[in-house]
Amino acid sequence: PILPTDLYLLSRPVSYLEVRREITDRKKHAVSLRLSVSEQICMNLAGDDKVACEELTLGKLNSIRMGTVSQKILSRSGDDLRIEWGYFYLTGEGKTFTFADEAGMNFVGIESDLKPMNLFTFAYDDVESIEYFHTHLKSYWNRNGALITDEIVKAHADYKATLRRCHELADRMFIDAVRAGGEKYAELLELAFRQVIAAHKLVLDENGEVLFISKECYSNGCAATVDVSYPSIPLFLLYNPELVKGMMRPIYRYVRSEGWVYDFAPHDVGCYPLLNGQAYGDELERQMPVEECGNMLIMETAVAVATGSTAFADEHMDLLENWVKYLIENGRDPENQLCTDDFAGHFAHNANLSIKAIMGIASYGYCARMLGMQEVADSYFAKAREMAGEWVRMADDGDHYRLTFDKSGTWSQKYNLVWDKLLGFGIFPESVARKEIAYYLHKQNRYGLPLDSRRQWTKSDWIVWSATLADDRK
């Protein structure tokens, strides 16, 4: 039950399986269910360690616990790795058991005679979740020492109420999405909802503030990555902007430490689950200066708009000022540097990256205006408009705008332009988006719009952002 507005339920690591029995031939039947889970759920690879199993009685419920013997808590970080500490619990009304298959893999299980409705839970207590600047943090749900066994009992007791709340959110999201973009758009959001939230851990820092830490999956395992947060924020801006703040806090903390030596925003804060400093590489050529400065400025302003408050931005205006100055100096015509689309290669004079810089500058101006700093706001909006005018001239390629300023006959999705529309900046002429959309319609492939003119590769998030630039649904 991942309800973004309920941080307790969002982080409580108990999942439900409801099984219903329905007789269709009017005869009597003896029906039973047997569930089993392998040792792989509590170690990196089967056979890496020995497991210990324990049967527990939780009131009317029977539960069986399984975990590794070694319990190497927060012992290593990486990408294609699975948790090798903590304990898995399988719980329900029935008889618990253990067994090993012919290959010696261990299993825990539960067997139950089925009633018309039966409820089972799968729970995982990771004991400690994140190492945050060399301090171990527990998950949000057990920040005050709550026991997983108590949470399992609560989960069984509150199932109907929790399920009702889940249905209410699902219905609301679908209706809102249909109104915004139609039924197909709503289905896309339904598919994306769990995926966007999934690879995050919710904890509190030493000051009791929310940290919502992402993990890059099948990339390099980086944690709290700025350009992973950036495409995910629309969901959280709608349903709980505090989680966007939770994505940004590790970055601010890192930049204020002695470990960060640059005048631009970092890419990440570690390799999951160890957040002790950037894992992406300290070398300058491994950084994403324009990308991450633009992302942080845009996210900060989006949070201020979503919450109607600049309190969070006010805490970090000194860093935001450094980053906006960096964008003014380096964002007009970016040098050869990495960006979030680096899987397709990186290059100099990236037109879409330049848009991000301009949106970052406008975002700072918007924040300054909300803070009552009107002269500052006017100067940054003026700078953004000046740069946008130059961008239109440098990127113009007839019926569209270029991938890079120096290469005619190229094109790319200008998805970063979406903030000019969503936040009402009015920095770029409306004709820019119209020209781009008209051009994209002639570049559509069977499964969508390519990222740019170099390959057939694409990203579904950027397609949706680009589509948002259109004037109408059709």
Side-chain angles (χ1 to χ4, degrees):
I2 48 174
L3 297 168
T5 55
D6 189 325
L7 300 186
Y8 164 68
L9 276 180
L10 183 65
S11 64
R12 186 176 73 181
V14 185
S15 298
Y16 294 106
L17 173 64
E18 179 188 320
V19 182
R20 289 187 177 273
R21 184 198 76 195
E22 184 179 351
I23 305 300
T24 60
D25 60 5
R26 299 182 181 179
K27 297 180 180 178
K28 290 186 177 181
H29 297 269
V31 186
S32 63
L33 177 73
R34 181 180 169 95
L35 293 172
S36 61
V37 179
S38 84
E39 64 183 31
Q40 287 175 286
I41 204 163
C42 60
M43 66 181 76
N44 181 39
L45 297 173
D48 278 357
D49 199 348
K50 293 181 179 179
V51 293
C53 303
E54 182 182 2
E55 294 183 335
L56 306 169
T57 301
L58 307 178
K60 296 180 179 179
L61 302 170
N62 290 322
S63 183
I64 189 160
R65 182 178 92 158
M66 176 170 58
T68 57
V69 171
S70 300
Q71 287 297 302
K72 301 172 183 176
I73 295 176
L74 293 168
S75 58
R76 60 172 170 168
S77 62
D79 185 15
D80 190 5
L81 296 173
R82 281 136 299 277
I83 192 167
E84 56 191 352
W85 66 90
Y87 299 92
F88 167 76
Y89 294 77
L90 176 60
T91 307
E93 293 185 10
K95 181 180 180 182
T96 57
F97 60 89
T98 62
F99 70 94
D101 66 11
E102 293 179 355
M105 187 185 299
N106 294 289
F107 291 78
V108 294
I110 191 166
E111 189 166 26
S112 177
D113 293 330
L114 288 188
K115 303 173 184 176
M117 198 286 273
N118 308 263
L119 188 64
F120 303 91
T121 55
F122 307 88
Y124 205 102
D125 179 10
D126 64 2
V127 184
E128 292 181 342
S129 299
I130 292 291
E131 184 172 291
Y132 190 63
F133 296 99
H134 306 289
T135 298
H136 285 192
L137 303 178
K138 294 182 179 296
S139 184
Y140 182 93
W141 69 271
N142 68 339
R143 63 199 182 280
N144 296 320
L147 299 177
I148 189 65
T149 47
D150 292 339
E151 297 304 319
I152 292 169
V153 173
K154 286 182 189 177
H156 278 261
D158 66 24
Y159 172 62
K160 289 183 179 179
T162 300
L163 185 64
R164 183 176 64 252
R165 293 179 62 191
C166 289
H167 283 311
E168 288 169 355
L169 173 63
D171 291 344
R172 171 189 159 198
M173 181 172 66
F174 189 79
I175 292 169
D176 288 347
V178 169
R179 288 172 177 162
E183 191 169 334
K184 291 295 183 185
Y185 176 64
E187 290 171 354
L188 279 176
L189 297 196
E190 285 187 318
L191 287 168
F193 180 78
R194 296 190 72 87
Q195 186 182 18
V196 173
I197 296 174
H200 288 85
K201 179 63 72 169
L202 180 63
V203 298
L204 297 181
D205 66 13
E206 302 96 318
N207 300 317
E209 293 187 311
V210 166
L211 306 177
F212 196 50
I213 297 165
S214 63
K215 174 191 178 293
E216 290 201 49
C217 295
Y218 295 92
S219 173
N220 51 20
C222 285
T225 302
V226 179
D227 54 279
V228 169
S229 298
Y230 177 68
S232 79
I233 60 171
L235 187 156
F236 303 110
L237 291 171
L238 280 171
Y239 295 113
N240 192 350
E242 183 62 33
L243 295 173
V244 182
K245 297 179 189 178
M247 296 174 183
M248 300 174 73
R249 285 188 179 107
I251 301 296
Y252 287 130
R253 166 75 177 270
Y254 183 35
V255 171
R256 294 193 187 281
S257 74
E258 295 180 356
W260 186 247
V261 298
Y262 297 111
D263 58 351
F264 50 78
H267 170 270
D268 64 84
V269 187
C271 188
Y272 195 90
L274 310 181
L275 279 75
N276 299 317
Q278 184 166 278
Y280 202 58
D282 293 331
E283 304 85 1
L284 184 59
E285 60 269 20
R286 296 287 293 164
Q287 306 302 319
M288 297 186 179
V290 171
E291 176 76 46
E292 310 304 22
C293 287
N295 288 339
M296 289 296 287
L297 285 157
I298 292 167
M299 289 194 292
E300 187 65 77
T301 301
V303 167
V305 172
T307 61
S309 169
T310 56
F312 188 61
D314 200 25
E315 297 174 23
H316 311 107
M317 284 301 284
D318 57 332
L319 297 180
L320 298 174
E321 184 179 6
N322 290 341
W323 294 339
V324 76
K325 289 177 178 177
Y326 184 91
L327 292 180
I328 290 173
E329 187 173 341
N330 300 279
R332 188 185 310 262
D333 186 5
E335 296 178 352
N336 191 355
Q337 60 180 241
L338 290 167
C339 71
T340 194
D341 299 326
D342 60 3
F343 68 93
H346 57 282
F347 41 70
H349 318 298
N350 185 330
N352 187 48
L353 188 60
S354 178
I355 292 176
K356 179 164 287 182
I358 296 167
M359 291 295 98
I361 294 164
S363 294
Y364 184 83
Y366 198 100
C367 260
R369 187 169 70 192
M370 289 183 72
L371 284 163
M373 303 159 56
Q374 192 59 47
E375 288 187 13
V376 173
D378 290 345
S379 67
Y380 281 99
F381 273 119
K383 176 57 68 174
R385 289 192 180 94
E386 173 199 326
M387 291 173 66
E390 294 182 16
W391 186 97
V392 171
R393 177 181 56 80
M394 293 191 299
D396 192 20
D397 207 31
D399 60 352
H400 68 282
Y401 296 95
R402 300 174 180 181
L403 167 66
T404 62
F405 295 129
D406 60 332
K407 292 182 181 178
S408 63
T410 62
W411 66 274
S412 64
Q413 290 189 48
K414 307 301 191 297
Y415 57 83
N416 286 315
L417 193 60
V418 74
W419 299 104
D420 204 32
K421 180 176 183 178
L422 290 181
L423 298 180
F425 293 153
I427 298 298
F428 282 83
E430 292 181 1
S431 58
V432 173
R434 290 199 187 103
K435 183 189 284 191
E436 283 290 283
I437 289 293
Y439 189 78
Y440 298 159
L441 291 173
H442 297 291
K443 294 295 180 180
Q444 296 274 67
N445 287 344
R446 181 177 180 184
Y447 297 111
L449 180 69
L451 182 69
D452 57 48
S453 53
R454 294 174 295 169
R455 302 281 199 283
Q456 300 303 302
W457 302 337
T458 195
K459 295 177 77 176
S460 56
D461 41 13
W462 299 150
I463 290 176
V464 175
W465 285 35
S466 293
T468 304
L469 296 171
D471 288 328
D472 59 69
R473 186 184 304 172
K474 185 175 183 294

